[in-house]
Amino acid sequence: MVGRAVSPVFVGRVAELTFLAEIFDQARKQTAAAVLLGGEAGVGKTRLVSRFAEQAEQDGAHVIVGGCVELSTEGLAYAPFTAALRQLVREMGAADVAAMLPEGAARDLARLLPEFGEPSGDTESETARARLFEQILTLLERLAEQRPVVLVIEDIHWADRSSRDLIAFLSRNIRAVPLLMVMTYRSDELNRTHPLRPVLAELARVDGVSRVEVPRLTQDEVAEQMAGILGRTPEFARVGKVFERTEGVPLFVEAMVECDGDYSFPESLQDLILSSVERLPEETQRVLRIAAAGGIRVGHELLARVSGLSDVDLENALRPAVAGNVMQVADGGAYAFRHALIREAVHDELLPGEHARMHARYAEAIDRDRSLVPPGRAAIEMAHHWFSARDDLWALVSAWEASGKAANAFAYTEQIQLLERVLTLWDKVSDAAERINADHTTVLERASEAAYLAADIDGCMKFAKGALSELDEAVAPERVAALLVRLVNCKVQKGKDGTLEDLRKAERLVPLPSETRAMVLSRLGTLLMLGDHVVEGTAVTQEALRVARSIGDECQEADLLINLALGHSISGDLHSTLSTNRRAQAIGARHKSGRVVLRALANNVDALENLGRSEDAVELAVEGEKLAKQYGRYRDQGVFIANNRAEALESLGRWDEALAVIKRALTMDPAVRNRWHLTRTRAGILLARGDADNAKDDLVEIGALSGRLEEWTQEWTQNTRLALSWHLLVGDPMTALDKAESALINPPWSRKAMLGWRLLAQIYRVTDAAAPVSPDRADALRARAADLAASMNTDGPVSEMFRLECLGDFIGAAEGWLHLNRPYARAKALFHAATTATNRDLINEWLREARTIAVDLDAVPLVTHVDLLARRTGISLTEAPEEPALLTPRELEVLRLVAEGRSNRDIASQLSISAKTASVHVSNIIAKLGVSTRGEATAAAHRLALLS
């Protein structure tokens, strides 16, 4: 035996340490980053990260460490984050950690760590996991505001689904704080179906995330490692043999150096890893086999119970293993194998009967005394051990219990995994229903609910349909109705039809007042409203409101008030919308229901926008987004409010801000409907800027070009308008005419006045474009549009301006848009007014203003239309300026780059605009300066001191 098993000298890894130091230096400059550190088992990832963490701590960083364990793959959720929280509590105390979070938020963390008190009683499960993610994000950001943070998460190849999702969420969303996440994984274990592979692929596309592979040691580095272990320079021949046999894997080098002095080399790597174990006393080896069944880390008391040894006998048995560096004494009175590979090799040596007995003894010991394992882990530990012991009865019972614990921790994916185990074992246990006090259908219902909460919509539908197939409507009508509502929610998420039929059936199943009927009516009322069946939707909602009040459910009452406000909005009573939503928001605030508060607030942002109060809408949306972060609901409701803000910013001509808001919101991985809302808003801006290709991608995603008939009329109305705009942009007025004609044949037209009038105004523009090619069809379409207009109402200044455009009063509309501070809408109205005007001075004035606005917004199509009309009417819009002020700020930026000799492509890249837009700017500058070439423009710029 040699004196040491591990080299005291840190060998190699200069490039990797330098890279980590550079990334951390960037993170310290308020640009959060993440590093994925891959490498095969035993290559030295932990040693490398430990050395880096030591250096970071010396530089003043707060290093927080958490690790995944093999048990995570069987349902132990959030293991690395629980470990990180436990470290913070040890260092700071639970009260100080809680003080960094919004009021009451620490109660969500109590689901992971009991030190934070009683878990919250919040029953709003649909956003619970997202809220937990937000709280952990907030905590890390607050910690990083105090000093730079390095968060180390080891062995993410073992991470449970919830931890993987949280890792991806943090990687996407931690920004502008000095924080570095370092995550290690075994790259040699990532087969094609490994669940970590898609996560790594996703993270590779995230800004600030780097991926590094830790290489094996070179022969010289192996010699250096051997010298550190031996305490002397090894023989050259032995170095060569060790390097050849181990191929430079540090763990194997350590094991081989430990071989006896005859320098014999084991036949397999398994034998090599076990060689250090086999030299230990037989009793020590027996205890190590018992410990291996307990995992990579096992507590002293638990190991003593399972082994049947006294404290003294156990310590004596393990002392040689600790001395030989096979086992290490860990915090909290536990023993840990030095490397997972050693534990795996020892565990694999268990005989089948021995394997089952050891795991059963662990399960029995933990069941008798749950304090033998860390808080919150007893249920999943027992489920693991009973399943490994192949005891079907207790594997089923313990999996059922553990599934409830997983749900309590918002670990819905792990809950599904455990419930699927229950379902798999069900037929093997004759009295399964009596054992868990639940029938097979209940297990399917729980699995369906968990899948929905985990955003596994396909899984939710599968389990719900399975449960429905086992239920008799006549015997269990309320259970059937609740499952139908869940199926409807799935269909809404996936954009599928048939939701109203399912809800009407559910409503018939529960005719008497009850909580289930109120739930069904609430959902039915919402979808009726969104489908423009406002009268019926209002009646249904009012009935549900009476039920909710009769049973004293104020949060349900607030939800239903919001539904009524939606009906007011669609019917055009926007002021009642605002007041009703405020009543609901007050109820939500009183009950501390973030979901209700944010839902009401979001709808009022939309109402303000429809009233033409876009600045107020932006201000309220910003407030709502802040509240969403405080409530831990940004990924869902915060993203919805962010889209409302983007819509208001688009109206105000603050397009770059709107696009930035959308980009940020999309990184939150929103639900399908929210993603479609964001994509739809972005598509409108892209169309206005002439970016047909990217706009098409967005329109394809939301189904606007497919002709799909949406159940929700608001989405159909907006999709149709955007599709018409795209066909006009690409020079295809006849296809636009076809779609416009179809839109006026029994359309699912939104009764929401602003949306209806805005689409109708676009249809009039289609008739203008198609008239030169097919005047008869254009006239017929215009007549049908006029008939529809005669039956429509307005609900405020915005819809009134669109109505004026439909009537051809573009100057009236332009004045209104000016008052509402909507520059692009004003520019378009001025252009259309100029197309029919006869006064050249007015045409000149209107086109000049329209062009200035369009250029400032990079609205290339409108610039082109204005220029064509100016040339057709013989009006010059680009006389050489007598003063530099006649060049817009954007034109001065472009001129400066032209003077530097930049090409249009270079200018586009520098200013983040399209090459086509850059070309338009250059042409305008040349015309305004009264020159013919770019060189002459540069000379004129210097002559006129435009660039000084």
Side-chain angles (χ1 to χ4, degrees):
M1 292 286 290
V2 297
R4 305 183 184 90
V6 179
S7 171
V9 179
F10 185 79
V11 177
R13 312 309 189 205
V14 174
E16 291 75 26
L17 272 177
T18 301
F19 177 80
L20 288 171
E22 290 174 350
I23 293 294
F24 181 49
D25 188 54
Q26 294 176 20
R28 291 166 68 101
K29 298 173 183 175
Q30 306 290 316
T31 53
V35 175
L36 297 162
L37 200 67
E40 62 190 299
V43 82
K45 300 181 293 295
T46 297
R47 188 87 185 268
L48 170 61
V49 170
S50 298
R51 173 55 64 94
F52 165 70
E54 291 172 6
Q55 295 177 350
E57 279 190 316
Q58 292 171 7
D59 291 337
H62 187 177
V63 177
I64 307 169
V65 181
C68 305
V69 295
E70 282 187 279
L71 194 56
S72 296
T73 62
E74 293 193 33
L76 177 60
Y78 303 116
F81 297 97
T82 301
L85 286 171
R86 188 172 287 113
Q87 175 188 330
L88 290 174
V89 169
R90 285 198 308 269
E91 294 173 350
M92 305 169 56
D96 286 348
V97 174
M100 293 185 164
L101 296 168
E103 182 181 358
R107 295 180 66 191
D108 285 333
L109 299 185
R111 297 176 183 272
L112 303 185
L113 210 61
E115 285 88 337
F116 290 106
E118 285 296 318
S120 65
D122 191 347
T123 59
E124 295 173 356
S125 301
E126 290 190 22
T127 56
R129 194 176 80 138
R131 191 170 65 249
L132 177 63
F133 284 19
E134 294 274 356
Q135 310 300 15
I136 292 176
L137 171 64
T138 299
L139 176 60
L140 290 172
E141 288 177 337
R142 297 294 85 81
L143 288 167
E145 288 172 359
Q146 297 181 348
R147 57 173 167 148
V149 168
V150 174
L151 174 62
V152 177
I153 303 177
E154 293 208 70
D155 299 320
I156 63 172
H157 52 277
W158 284 330
D160 57 284
R161 168 66 185 275
S162 294
S163 291
R164 292 196 303 269
D165 289 346
L166 180 49
I167 286 168
F169 172 76
L170 295 175
S171 300
R172 287 193 304 267
N173 292 286
I174 294 179
R175 295 288 182 272
V177 292
L179 187 146
L180 173 63
M181 290 175 58
V182 180
M183 296 157 281
T184 70
Y185 64 94
R186 289 187 191 174
S187 53
D188 54 328
E189 291 200 0
L190 301 189
N191 56 50
R192 295 180 63 183
T193 60
H194 196 288
L196 185 62
R197 286 181 69 94
V199 178
L200 294 178
E202 175 191 350
L203 294 181
R205 297 189 292 270
V206 176
D207 291 342
V209 176
S210 305
R211 191 168 171 177
V212 178
E213 190 75 11
V214 180
R216 298 175 177 181
L217 298 179
T218 65
Q219 184 164 336
D220 287 343
E221 289 169 340
V222 167
E224 188 177 353
Q225 181 187 10
M226 292 174 65
I229 296 171
L230 296 167
R232 56 180 171 77
T233 302
E235 300 89 337
F236 179 79
R238 189 179 189 196
V239 171
K241 288 183 179 180
V242 169
F243 178 73
E244 179 183 0
R245 188 70 183 84
T246 64
E247 297 182 335
V249 176
L251 180 67
F252 301 157
V253 172
E254 293 170 0
M256 187 156 283
V257 172
E258 287 184 281
C259 292
D260 290 335
D262 59 3
Y263 305 150
S264 61
F265 298 105
E267 290 297 322
S268 69
L269 292 178
Q270 175 87 350
D271 293 338
L272 175 60
I273 294 171
L274 287 173
S275 61
S276 59
V277 176
E278 291 171 346
R279 289 192 297 275
L280 297 172
E282 181 56 39
E283 176 65 3
T284 301
Q285 293 186 48
R286 185 185 76 85
V287 174
L288 286 178
R289 288 195 295 273
I290 298 173
I296 194 171
R297 175 189 174 108
V298 60
H300 173 92
E301 193 65 32
L302 176 59
L303 186 55
R305 300 277 183 91
V306 175
S307 66
L309 297 175
S310 68
D311 290 343
V312 173
D313 289 342
L314 178 60
E315 290 165 355
N316 289 336
L318 286 178
R319 198 177 306 279
V322 174
N325 207 29
V326 172
M327 293 286 279
Q328 297 173 335
V329 178
D331 294 337
Y335 303 104
F337 284 90
R338 179 165 61 86
H339 197 282
L341 285 178
I342 299 175
R343 180 258 164 192
E344 293 165 14
V346 174
H347 187 259
D348 288 345
E349 290 293 297
L350 290 171
L351 297 173
E354 189 181 21
H355 180 279
R357 287 195 305 275
M358 288 300 102
H359 282 287
R361 283 161 66 178
Y362 271 104
E364 291 166 349
I366 295 169
D367 192 26
R368 285 193 295 268
D369 184 356
R370 299 196 173 200
S371 67
L372 292 173
V373 294
R377 285 183 57 167
I380 188 61
E381 291 269 6
M382 287 192 299
H384 161 68
H385 287 301
W386 281 126
F387 188 69
S388 297
R390 295 175 174 80
D391 186 313
D392 294 336
L393 167 60
W394 292 109
L396 181 146
V397 172
S398 58
W400 175 253
E401 180 190 352
S403 73
K405 299 293 185 181
N408 189 56
F410 309 142
Y412 304 120
T413 304
E414 289 66 39
Q415 182 188 6
I416 297 167
Q417 186 177 348
L418 291 161
L419 290 173
E420 286 179 331
R421 181 181 294 177
V422 173
L423 293 169
T424 300
L425 295 170
W426 191 271
D427 291 336
K428 298 180 180 181
V429 180
S430 60
D431 58 345
E434 291 75 15
R435 291 286 185 171
I436 66 172
N437 196 29
D439 60 15
H440 190 265
T441 307
T442 298
V443 181
L444 288 170
E445 288 173 315
R446 294 273 184 93
S448 172
E449 179 185 21
Y452 184 78
L453 296 174
D456 179 6
I457 303 304
D458 291 330
C460 176
M461 297 181 76
K462 176 186 71 176
F463 290 124
K465 289 176 180 178
L468 284 171
S469 70
E470 297 181 3
L471 290 173
D472 184 341
E473 294 177 6
V475 176
E478 295 213 350
R479 291 174 75 178
V480 173
L483 284 166
L484 287 172
V485 172
R486 187 168 298 147
L487 277 177
V488 165
N489 291 337
C490 291
K491 289 181 177 180
V492 168
Q493 289 286 341
K494 293 182 72 68
K496 291 182 175 291
D497 298 334
T499 54
L500 288 178
E501 291 84 349
D502 288 341
L503 287 173
R504 291 187 193 281
K505 178 180 179 180
E507 189 266 339
R508 291 192 297 271
L509 289 172
V510 284
L512 299 179
S514 66
E515 289 186 25
T516 303
R517 180 168 177 80
M519 175 187 67
V520 172
L521 292 177
S522 175
R523 198 71 181 113
L524 177 59
T526 299
L527 295 192
L528 285 169
M529 300 285 194
L530 292 172
D532 260 8
H533 306 290
V534 178
V535 175
E536 183 184 2
T538 299
V540 166
T541 302
Q542 288 174 336
E543 181 188 346
L545 193 56
R546 289 192 293 272
V547 175
R549 286 170 173 162
S550 70
I551 61 179
D553 189 341
E554 278 202 301
C555 283
Q556 176 79 306
E557 176 185 348
D559 271 324
L560 293 164
L561 286 173
I562 296 171
N563 289 355
L564 288 179
L566 175 62
H568 294 322
S569 174
I570 294 171
S571 299
D573 188 356
L574 294 176
H575 293 288
S576 292
T577 299
L578 291 171
S579 60
T580 304
N581 278 327
R582 286 171 184 144
R583 286 169 55 199
Q585 185 174 342
I587 293 174
R590 189 165 64 249
H591 287 271
K592 297 183 179 180
S593 172
R595 180 184 58 80
V596 169
V597 168
L598 295 171
R599 186 179 172 217
L601 187 150
N603 288 348
N604 271 354
V605 174
D606 183 65
L608 289 171
E609 168 68 3
N610 290 338
L611 282 168
R613 296 167 55 185
S614 298
E615 290 92 345
D616 292 339
V618 170
E619 183 178 343
L620 184 60
V622 169
E623 176 189 338
E625 289 178 74
K626 290 179 180 177
L627 282 174
K629 291 177 181 177
Q630 291 177 15
Y631 285 123
R633 297 177 178 275
Y634 194 88
R635 293 182 73 194
D636 180 31
Q637 291 177 283
V639 166
F640 185 85
I641 294 171
N643 180 67
N644 286 352
R645 175 157 68 109
E647 290 179 336
L649 290 169
E650 178 191 7
S651 297
L652 293 169
R654 293 158 60 179
W655 291 356
D656 291 334
E657 287 182 62
L659 291 174
V661 169
I662 292 168
K663 181 178 180 181
R664 165 72 171 160
L666 286 172
T667 65
M668 307 293 286
D669 191 25
V672 172
R673 288 283 174 183
N674 279 349
R675 189 175 73 245
W676 286 354
H677 293 328
L678 292 160
T679 303
R680 188 176 291 113
T681 304
R682 181 175 63 188
I685 297 174
L686 295 174
L687 288 168
R689 285 186 162 170
D691 190 348
D693 292 340
N694 286 319
K696 180 181 180 181
D697 291 342
D698 284 350
L699 295 179
V700 167
E701 179 180 347
I702 64 176
L705 298 180
S706 66
R708 182 180 70 204
L709 194 62
E710 291 279 353
E711 276 193 297
W712 294 6
T713 60
Q714 294 187 37
E715 295 195 357
W716 176 88
T717 303
Q718 295 191 78
N719 285 356
T720 301
R721 173 180 59 81
L722 292 170
L724 296 179
S725 299
W726 185 81
H727 287 296
L728 293 181
L729 176 63
V730 298
D732 188 6
M734 298 312 296
T735 300
L737 184 64
D738 293 338
K739 289 184 176 293
E741 289 172 336
S742 298
L744 291 185
I745 299 174
N746 193 28
W749 201 274
S750 175
R751 289 182 55 192
K752 199 168 184 179
M754 188 277 287
L755 296 179
W757 282 110
R758 192 177 186 186
L759 172 56
L760 196 62
Q762 187 62 30
I763 288 176
Y764 274 102
R765 303 293 74 77
V766 171
T767 64
D768 295 340
V773 181
S774 183
D776 292 341
R777 286 179 63 191
D779 288 342
L781 179 60
R782 194 176 288 114
R784 288 203 299 274
D787 291 340
L788 179 61
S791 66
M792 293 170 59
N793 298 317
T794 59
D795 60 5
V798 177
S799 57
E800 175 62 17
M801 294 311 104
F802 285 122
R803 187 186 74 85
L804 291 179
E805 290 188 0
C806 292
L807 297 178
D809 183 4
F810 293 108
I811 290 304
E815 290 303 310
W817 294 131
L818 177 64
H819 177 71
L820 295 174
N821 192 21
R822 299 196 174 193
Y824 183 62
R826 174 171 171 80
K828 288 196 299 180
L830 289 173
F831 165 73
H832 289 301
T835 61
T836 58
T838 56
N839 186 314
R840 290 178 59 82
D841 290 339
L842 288 177
I843 294 173
N844 192 325
E845 177 186 337
W846 294 339
L847 290 184
R848 281 181 178 277
E849 182 179 349
R851 194 179 196 285
T852 299
I853 293 171
V855 168
D856 285 344
L857 293 174
D858 287 333
V860 176
L862 183 55
V863 173
T864 302
H865 290 315
V866 169
D867 288 347
L868 287 173
L869 180 58
R871 286 197 292 271
R872 191 165 67 243
T873 55
I875 293 176
S876 175
L877 302 177
T878 56
E879 293 86 1
E882 295 179 3
E883 297 179 5
L886 291 179
L887 287 181
T888 67
R890 176 68 90 182
E891 287 169 347
L892 286 172
E893 288 180 309
V894 173
L895 179 58
R896 187 170 287 104
L897 294 172
V898 168
E900 294 175 3
R902 305 288 188 90
S903 66
N904 288 348
R905 186 178 299 277
D906 292 336
I907 294 170
S909 175
Q910 181 74 22
L911 299 180
S912 298
I913 60 178
S914 68
K916 186 175 181 181
T917 300
S919 176
V920 170
H921 284 313
V922 172
S923 298
N924 292 344
I925 291 167
I926 289 173
K928 285 185 178 184
L929 295 178
V931 296
S932 302
T933 66
R934 299 163 77 97
E936 290 176 0
T938 299
H942 290 297
R943 185 176 67 253
L944 297 172
L946 297 180
L947 304 180
S948 61

